[in-house]
Amino acid sequence: MMTWYLRRRDVLGAGALGTAAVGLDTLARFEPGRSRTVTVVEESGVPESRQFASALIDSGFAGEVIRIDQSLNGLLHELEATTGTVIGMTSDPVAMIAGQLLGERGAHARQFWQHHYAGGRWGHRTEGSVRLIENTTHAWPVAIAHQLQSAIGSRSRQFPNACTSGACALVVSSPGMLVSWVHEFEGYQS
Amino acid sequence: MSSIVPQGVAASDFSNALDEFAGVVGKDRVYVDEQPLSSYRDAYSPLADGEFLPSAAVAPEGVEQIKKILKIANAYKIPIWTIGTGRNFAYGGPAPRKSGYVMLDLRRMNRIIEVNEKYGYALVEPGVSYMQLYRHLRAIGSKLWIDPAAPAWGGVMGNALEHGAGYTPYGDHFTMQCGMEVVLADGEVIRTGQGALAGSKHWQVTKHAAGPQFDGMFTQSNFGVVTKMGIWLMPEPPGYKPFMITYEREEDLEAIFEITRPLKVNQIIPNAAVAVDLLWEVSAKTTRRHYFDGKGPLPQSIRKQIASDHKLGMWNYYGALYGPPPIIENNWKIVEDALMSIPGAKLYLDRENDPAWDYRVRLMRGEPNMTEFSIMNWIGGGGHVNFSPLLAPNGSEALAQYNLIKSRCHDHGFDYIGEFLVGWRDMHHILMIMYDRADEAMRKGAYDLFGVLVAEAAESGFGEYRTHLAFMDQIAKTYKHNDGALWDLHQRIKDVMDPNGILSPGKQGIWPKSMRTTS
């Protein structure tokens, strides 16, 4: 049984271990199926994307990772061979390109959650519980990673929610508007 | 299955046509369900959701299948919309001009039929992308360059047919095409130029033949389905010197292009030099929200801060020299003396950790990449539509057009984000109107702004070279000379060559007779 692995630097980066850890032990657990291939797309220049991908890799949820540099060329080269579930937290342009390429190959769009920074706060539009995300400060991509893996295979109403923690900043290399998304090829629905 | 049926077509006829299409290409190559059809949407549409949706798609693998598909479409009067790679984003992407059309998807036709190292050309099918051709050339050890449009996934043929531009000396893509194969609406197959001569070995080396040239007729039009096209490729030069010069003031635009014109016309600068405005240039590195959280155009004080932080100018000029090093160095003295004569100009021959510099340098040496999509992060939400008026390489004209367009952008609450590219005797001005797709008011504002720009540009004598689906009719009507005689000619030709109006109805404002009253 895997446990959700919140890495130390994620928590320390948030500067609030107690806040970031709220509710972790109540989160759903994912047990990788033998036939499932999960590939996470990491936009390496985007810190939130790296956090999100690390969470999925460290937890064992994602077995493959595609790292995309600023040229974005890797999307053209490496998405060609993907199967199963493809997941990412990326900038909107990368989400669009990936969605277009995967859709043309027959993948179904499953989840599309949005995260944007405005008025000095991160705001999210997600499915499921909002409480954890509201309080995770800089570790919110880790919380999203976990929440998203729980949501795959079902689709429920989306709720807007905003960061309510004391520390909610936009790092220089973040685009400030991100999308977490899931595409699945037929035969791989959860 | 999609519930959309082509306008004016009975459901039973449509069903029969789909069955017959399946008989040609196989059932698995006729798409009618929501999932495959969703990939034909315009992801960045400036229109509300639910516009420009296809009813079905059919994906042939070759000319013989296309001929049979057209025969069926003629029999049932099914309107079809042709795409090569379907990457014409900012101008409509793969979406059809009207909902209900059947997509004729040529992406399976992606063969690179020939690469000729001796004469420097390739012969390609519609589904070949820039990245595919680039990788193929590298794989076979070719010393030929391609000239990619900014996004690497664009189609070599489609971009040339849309009059697209690149950044090497071969940047005028329609000029660099040589020889087409076209399936007409009645199924007849023609080859242009020397391709019409049986056994010719010169189809891709000369555009000339006895009789009229028809190649241009099949660009930005709906008179046929182009199935093969030759494209000239630039031999790798022995030297390459890219450069960037920043200019401090917006008004410097006038001097920049007064200086550029003789350099370009005399081929001292051989490539499509480009002047990029501050916000386009910086958007590959940061976003608006890092500097300003308010609505409306950025205050001037923040623009100056951005320029200072990123060592940029209000205009950022890219060009490159090519050829034997002694010639480059000789010409560089001329270029440097001329372009650095503007007060405040700063020259860069390299810039570390600068993704904008990196992708421009790659494009000017024919390396395709996808970096330009990153600039959509400036606003976030990805929406963009390009307004693309033409002008002469004339400084005062460029400044006047810039001031007009910037003013209208600001009136509508948008930043000016644009660039000017200089061609052989013209300039393309690309205004990128960016908006958050999730912000309905912003999307509507972008749409309204575009319409105003088309009208005002036309009143000032500026026409667009290319446009989004949603504005094709409006722009067609701005070409008013002699009561719109040119578009009348287009439509007369359309009625003769495609009497059932099956091929891409409404493309560029060219409608078949049966749809002129309802379009």
Side-chain angles (χ1 to χ4, degrees):
Chain A
M1 173 70 73
M2 96 10 137
T3 55
W4 190 43
Y5 180 35
L6 188 66
R7 298 195 309 177
R8 180 175 168 78
R9 71 174 169 83
D10 294 328
V11 177
L12 295 179
L17 175 60
T19 307
V22 166
L24 297 188
D25 58 351
T26 65
L27 290 170
R29 305 290 199 258
F30 172 77
E31 294 181 57
R34 288 178 188 277
S35 61
R36 176 193 287 246
T37 301
V38 178
T39 303
V40 61
V41 174
E42 176 189 289
E43 194 173 358
S44 297
V46 175
E48 295 88 351
S49 185
R50 291 197 304 270
Q51 279 184 287
F52 176 88
S54 291
L56 293 178
I57 296 160
D58 292 346
S59 71
F61 181 78
E64 305 284 338
V65 59
I66 293 173
R67 293 195 167 87
I68 305 299
D69 66 16
Q70 285 180 318
S71 77
L72 309 187
N73 286 354
L75 291 166
L76 302 185
H77 302 153
E78 299 191 50
L79 286 180
E80 288 174 350
T82 50
T83 58
T85 302
V86 187
I87 188 168
M89 175 184 286
T90 64
S91 64
D92 186 85
V94 168
M96 191 287 280
I97 295 165
Q100 193 74 28
L101 294 169
L102 294 168
E104 287 165 10
R105 292 183 48 233
H108 293 258
R110 298 297 184 203
Q111 262 77 28
F112 190 88
W113 296 355
Q114 293 168 295
H115 321 281
H116 68 280
Y117 190 84
R121 301 269 124 201
W122 275 102
H124 310 276
R125 191 163 186 87
T126 61
E127 299 165 34
S129 169
V130 300
R131 190 163 168 225
L132 176 71
I133 300 166
E134 286 175 346
N135 290 287
T136 46
T137 63
H138 292 229
W140 66 263
V142 182
I144 293 288
H146 192 78
Q147 195 148 315
L148 194 57
Q149 72 186 54
S150 302
I152 294 173
S154 62
R155 191 174 269 181
S156 60
R157 192 176 155 201
Q158 291 195 352
F159 295 95
N161 55 89
C163 172
T164 57
S165 69
C168 189
L170 180 63
V171 298
V172 173
S173 54
S174 169
M177 179 172 268
L178 297 160
V179 180
S180 42
W181 48 268
V182 179
H183 292 268
E184 283 190 310
F185 288 92
E186 285 289 355
Y188 284 90
Q189 286 111 316
S190 301
Chain B
M1 180 167 173
S2 169
S3 59
I4 303 170
V5 173
Q7 184 181 336
V9 178
S12 57
D13 283 351
F14 185 52
S15 178
N16 290 339
L18 293 178
D19 286 344
E20 292 182 33
F21 288 149
V24 175
V25 297
K27 198 172 180 181
D28 60 337
R29 298 297 184 183
V30 177
Y31 308 119
V32 295
D33 293 329
E34 184 184 344
Q35 189 284 326
L37 292 184
S38 67
S39 68
Y40 300 104
R41 288 170 179 254
D42 175 9
Y44 293 139
S45 175
L47 299 172
D49 281 348
E51 302 274 0
F52 300 163
L53 304 177
S55 57
V58 55
E61 64 178 4
V63 169
E64 289 309 308
Q65 289 187 350
I66 291 174
K67 289 165 66 177
K68 290 174 183 170
I69 289 166
L70 297 187
K71 188 174 181 182
I72 297 163
N74 271 308
Y76 293 102
K77 295 186 171 49
I78 305 284
I80 61 175
W81 188 264
T82 307
I83 60 164
T85 57
R87 308 298 190 205
N88 198 19
F89 290 103
Y91 299 105
R97 174 64 185 83
K98 268 186 137 178
S99 285
Y101 291 0
V102 172
M103 305 303 299
L104 181 62
D105 180 344
L106 305 183
R107 282 180 285 201
R108 292 176 69 204
M109 296 173 61
N110 62 352
R111 289 184 307 144
I112 298 164
I113 298 164
E114 182 187 1
V115 172
N116 191 302
E117 199 77 16
K118 184 176 180 181
Y119 299 123
Y121 68 77
L123 179 65
V124 299
E125 290 189 325
V128 174
S129 72
Y130 288 113
M131 184 58 86
Q132 181 189 348
L133 182 56
Y134 174 79
R135 290 163 80 179
H136 177 77
L137 292 174
R138 299 292 78 81
I140 64 174
S142 172
K143 293 292 184 185
L144 297 172
W145 282 8
I146 66 166
D147 184 282
W153 65 357
V156 176
M157 179 189 293
N159 191 271
L161 296 181
E162 288 295 317
H163 304 172
Y167 300 87
T168 78
Y170 282 36
D172 185 336
H173 294 166
F174 176 56
T175 297
M176 294 300 158
Q177 75 79 29
C178 188
M180 296 177 180
E181 178 184 84
V182 187
V183 184
L184 304 180
D186 63 4
E188 185 163 20
V189 179
I190 64 155
R191 289 184 174 182
T192 63
Q194 289 294 326
L197 189 75
S200 170
K201 295 177 181 172
H202 306 122
W203 188 18
Q204 272 63 61
V205 297
T206 175
K207 298 164 186 278
H208 302 299
Q213 273 193 14
F214 279 108
D215 301 61
M217 182 174 156
F218 299 108
T219 69
Q220 290 203 7
S221 77
N222 49 16
F223 301 142
V225 178
V226 184
T227 50
K228 293 183 182 67
M229 190 191 79
I231 187 84
W232 289 341
L233 303 174
M234 178 175 164
E236 180 182 299
Y240 167 60
K241 185 183 183 84
F243 62 92
M244 174 195 181
I245 301 173
T246 61
Y247 295 100
E248 291 179 346
R249 305 177 314 145
E250 292 176 53
E251 310 87 84
D252 290 338
L253 189 66
E254 180 168 2
I256 290 169
F257 285 113
E258 282 303 295
I259 291 169
T260 296
R261 184 179 55 250
L263 296 174
K264 178 66 189 170
V265 170
N266 290 295
Q267 289 292 291
I268 304 299
I269 296 177
N271 77 324
V274 55
V276 188
D277 98 289
L278 171 70
L279 299 187
W280 185 312
E281 183 65 12
V282 82
S283 59
K285 312 180 230 287
T286 187
T287 76
R288 180 183 155 105
R289 55 176 43 82
H290 283 89
Y291 282 92
F292 187 63
D293 213 11
K295 297 277 187 187
L298 282 180
Q300 192 64 13
S301 59
I302 292 181
R303 289 171 54 84
K304 287 183 176 171
Q305 184 64 49
I306 291 172
S308 172
D309 287 353
H310 294 276
K311 295 184 172 56
L312 294 174
M314 292 299 145
W315 295 105
N316 303 280
Y317 186 97
Y318 286 94
L321 304 183
Y322 307 79
I327 291 176
I328 287 179
E329 289 314 308
N330 183 68
N331 286 354
W332 174 243
K333 288 174 192 161
I334 299 167
V335 170
E336 184 178 23
D337 286 351
L339 287 168
M340 292 301 290
S341 67
I342 298 172
K346 293 188 179 66
L347 170 68
Y348 295 88
L349 297 175
D350 194 10
R351 286 170 69 98
E352 285 188 16
N353 299 319
D354 184 340
W357 163 268
D358 288 346
Y359 97 86
R360 293 278 179 189
V361 167
R362 288 184 191 204
L363 287 175
M364 291 190 294
R365 66 171 179 234
E367 291 180 18
N369 64 82
M370 297 289 282
T371 308
E372 194 164 280
F373 273 95
S374 297
I375 71 176
M376 254 57 79
N377 286 321
W378 176 250
I379 296 290
H384 67 288
V385 59
N386 287 0
F387 175 69
S388 310
L390 293 161
L391 67 161
N394 174 299
S396 59
E397 197 171 282
L399 188 59
Q401 192 181 91
Y402 166 66
N403 283 330
L404 168 74
I405 290 173
K406 181 183 73 169
S407 173
R408 289 301 163 269
C409 287
H410 288 187
D411 292 347
H412 284 72
F414 288 87
D415 284 314
Y416 170 89
I417 302 173
E419 66 176 15
F420 289 81
L421 287 86
V422 61
W424 292 97
R425 295 291 186 279
D426 66 353
M427 291 217 290
H428 291 51
H429 183 183
I430 312 293
L431 169 73
M432 188 175 288
I433 305 172
M434 286 190 199
Y435 52 93
D436 178 357
R437 282 174 295 168
D439 184 333
E440 178 61 19
M442 200 177 190
R443 181 202 62 74
K444 175 75 165 48
Y447 180 87
D448 292 344
L449 168 60
F450 199 109
V452 167
L453 288 171
V454 171
E456 292 205 23
E459 284 170 17
S460 302
F462 299 123
E464 286 73 55
Y465 90 98
R466 185 179 186 185
T467 194
H468 189 278
L469 299 169
F471 301 97
M472 286 178 173
D473 287 350
Q474 184 187 359
I475 286 176
K477 286 173 184 159
T478 64
Y479 285 82
K480 291 178 181 172
H481 171 70
N482 193 19
D483 201 20
L486 182 59
W487 254 257
D488 283 349
L489 172 62
H490 296 332
Q491 300 196 131
R492 284 157 61 194
I493 292 170
K494 178 71 174 169
D495 291 344
V496 171
M497 296 189 65
D498 181 14
N500 291 318
I502 59 167
L503 292 180
S504 302
K507 170 73 176 164
Q508 240 62 39
I510 304 168
W511 292 94
K513 199 170 196 174
S514 60
M515 297 175 79
R516 271 176 223 152
T517 53
T518 57
S519 61

